[in-house]
Amino acid sequence: MTTAPARPHVVPVPTQSIYQNRVADYWNAEENPVNLELGKIDDLYHHHYGIGEADRSVLDEPDPELRKERITGELHRLEHAQAEVLASHLGPLTPDDRVFDAGCGRGGGSIVANLRHGCHADGVTISAKQCDFANEMARKRGVGDKVRYHHRNMLDTGFESGAYAASWNNESTMYVELDLLFAEHARLLRRGGRYVTITGCYNDTYGRASREVSLINAHYICDIHPRSEYFRAMAKNRLVPVHVEDLTDATIPYWELRKEADHLVTGIEDAFLDAYRNGSFQYLLIVADRI
């Protein structure tokens, strides 16, 4: 009598792990003014930071309410500039192309991509609240037929393999394992498709994660990866970097201004500034092609 060999035990990626449920709970409850007040300016809600030289004259405004308004507007301008930089690296896209926004937050990045390229966009977030909010913003803008948001896990989307011309993470990679994340991007992207991320990562040459990086992790319930891990995981998953840019110096003016925005501070500003300045933390743009 012979018996069939046992099948290998395959553990599927869960729809949401216990940790991811905690992250979802955090973002479902989040009502931070720095994420909401900026977006009210033009209904583009960005859950990331800004780049570029800041107009610090807004701090000299003598009228207290107008000063708040001008600071809010300037921070939003810098955040939008960051979103435009990412969208500009998505490659040549047509209105028929589809793009994938992993960890889309309240949806600003997908709208920016659609405005720039006219493409279809699918955003994914594990926060049901963010998903509903983002879809309402797309409907309000009249692009709900091309920009859609889904309450799904970016590691296991269920979307069609090879259906996307471009995909990205904008400051959302620190919530997931990079091997699993890049495997899903590689599955979704067509051959020759473009992947882009803008992310904070800790600097391997500094050593282990610094005290400031640990404070940022605790604040956002995340796990910031070392810089080297991005390139190792990309290589393993058929994503070949074609452009890498250090945006650390470009983001410091944003944080310096935000630190002085009394109505928007969250208490984490000094940790970011200290980490960037002592070299333990970097703000990177990585552009890769799917081979």
Side-chain angles (χ1 to χ4, degrees), residues 247-275:
L247 299 175
T248 304
D249 288 343
T251 197
I252 287 176
Y254 166 86
W255 284 100
E256 290 175 334
L257 180 61
R258 179 166 149 175
K259 180 181 176 180
E260 298 191 58
D262 294 340
H263 61 301
L264 298 174
V265 293
T266 63
I268 200 62
E269 289 77 15
D270 279 330
F272 273 89
L273 283 168
D274 290 345

Side-chain angles (χ1 to χ4, degrees), residues 138-193:
R139 286 190 290 268
K140 185 176 179 180
R141 281 183 165 270
V143 295
D145 60 328
K146 298 202 76 170
V147 180
R148 299 180 179 89
Y149 302 94
H150 311 265
H151 181 215
R152 301 190 188 188
N153 188 328
M154 72 172 93
L155 302 180
D156 188 18
T157 64
F159 294 151
E160 180 185 355
S161 297
Y164 293 88
S167 64
W168 70 90
N169 287 89
N170 198 345
E171 294 183 24
S172 55
T173 54
M174 59 287 297
Y175 288 103
V176 293
E177 296 177 50
L178 293 183
D179 279 335
L180 298 177
L181 175 67
F182 294 152
E184 182 68 350
H185 279 288
R187 185 186 71 80
L188 293 173
L189 286 169
R190 67 193 185 198
R191 189 176 182 88

Side-chain angles (χ1 to χ4, degrees), residues 58 61 63-73 263-264:
V58 299
E61 173 57 52
D63 181 87
E65 289 306 311
L66 185 55
R67 182 177 187 271
K68 288 181 181 179
E69 182 180 324
R70 292 186 62 193
I71 292 172
T72 300
H263 61 301
L264 298 174

Side-chain angles (χ1 to χ4, degrees), residues 199-203 206 210 213 216 224 248 271-272 275-283:
T199 188
C201 56
Y202 77 76
N203 185 352
Y206 183 89
S210 66
V213 169
I216 296 168
I224 292 166
T248 304
F272 273 89
Y276 285 139
R277 288 168 176 161
N278 68 26
S280 65
F281 194 45
Q282 290 178 295
Y283 199 48

